[in-house]
Amino acid sequence: VLDLKETFWIIGIFVFSFLSVSFIGGEYVYLRYIYYIVPLIYLVAIIVLEKLLQGKSFLSNVILIIAIIFAISNATYGTSRNYSSYLFHYKLTCKEKLEAYSDKNLYVIVENISTAVPTGNLTQFELFDKIYMSSKDNIIENDMISNTIQEQSACVVYIATDSYWLNGLDPDRVLNKALINCNAEYEEITEGNLGKFYYIHK
């Protein structure tokens, strides 16, 4: 049985861990960044209750039973759910769809250059031999996509559409401007991380 000093040490470690992660992460802190603290929350709750109920064997037993039921139900729910956050199952089908276009040039269009785009789409981008990542204005002003269509008849374009982490772009507006000097069509291939992939062809 833990004494009061040990209990305070555990609580102190929990508080320090939580505050340090929150301070370092700032506005980007989400539950996934503090998952390792969650079991400690349960442990601290049980320790506090055990200390409060010392000498009250009946209530202690009731709390213990509730804790066991809670742990079992949590474990069962966690393993039986059909969906779990941050597993990114969609990336498997996304990569399969893109493999058919891997011989084409890939243009990555963003409003502002961000490492989040290549990092989040690494397994998709690595399918392509030639990748050009630049700002929307640069690609449009230099007719990069139009020139590629005239030379190779087709290419793939990734457009960053996410408006939470990035300055999301409107794909239709961007592609209509990018293709103004050539007779080409576009269609969505698949959704990627923070954006969408499009097939551009004559």
Side-chain angles (χ1 to χ4, degrees):
V1 178
L2 295 173
D3 58 25
L4 194 60
K5 184 178 180 181
E6 292 171 328
T7 302
F8 279 122
W9 267 107
I10 292 175
I11 295 175
I13 292 171
F14 160 69
V15 172
F16 176 76
S17 299
F18 180 81
L19 292 178
S20 60
V21 171
S22 300
F23 177 76
I24 295 170
E27 61 180 304
Y28 298 106
V29 172
Y30 288 86
L31 181 59
R32 64 185 171 130
Y33 296 122
I34 56 174
Y35 274 158
Y36 70 95
I37 296 177
V38 174
L40 194 54
I41 296 175
Y42 298 151
L43 180 61
V44 169
I46 295 300
I47 291 173
V48 170
L49 288 173
E50 191 265 340
K51 289 297 179 184
L52 293 175
L53 297 175
Q54 276 186 347
K56 301 176 181 178
S57 58
F58 175 75
L59 288 177
S60 295
N61 291 333
V62 170
I63 294 298
L64 178 61
I65 293 172
I66 292 175
I68 293 173
I69 294 174
F70 182 71
I72 293 174
S73 62
N74 261 2
T76 303
Y77 179 72
T79 55
S80 63
R81 282 189 72 190
N82 293 325
Y83 173 79
S84 183
S85 300
Y86 305 108
L87 291 181
F88 302 110
H89 290 302
Y90 76 89
K91 286 192 175 183
L92 296 175
T93 56
C94 177
K95 190 172 181 179
E96 291 174 359
K97 292 177 181 178
L98 289 171
E99 284 176 347
Y101 308 91
S102 59
D103 60 327
K104 311 297 182 186
N105 290 357
L106 172 64
Y107 288 92
V108 179
I109 304 178
V110 294
E111 184 66 44
N112 299 307
I113 301 299
S114 169
T115 57
V117 171
T119 301
N121 294 279
L122 181 61
T123 56
Q124 294 93 301
F125 286 2
E126 68 180 1
L127 293 172
F128 301 87
D129 292 330
K130 295 182 179 180
I131 304 174
Y132 304 90
M133 180 175 178
S134 188
S135 66
K136 170 199 65 177
D137 294 335
N138 185 49
I139 287 179
I140 292 175
E141 288 173 5
N142 291 284
D143 278 337
M144 292 184 182
I145 296 176
S146 296
N147 292 336
T148 300
I149 295 298
Q150 291 172 6
E151 295 173 3
Q152 302 178 17
S153 75
C155 68
V156 175
V157 173
Y158 166 92
I159 300 178
T161 59
D162 183 86
S163 297
Y164 184 80
W165 296 106
L166 309 168
N167 292 326
L169 300 171
D170 183 322
D172 292 322
R173 183 177 299 176
V174 171
L175 291 173
N176 286 331
K177 288 184 178 180
L179 301 175
I180 196 169
N181 294 324
C182 71
N183 184 23
E185 300 177 352
Y186 64 88
E187 56 195 51
E188 183 179 331
I189 301 174
T190 183
E191 185 168 349
N193 189 24
L194 304 176
K196 297 180 179 180
F197 290 87
Y198 291 86
Y199 178 53
I200 318 297
H201 59 93
K202 288 185 177 179

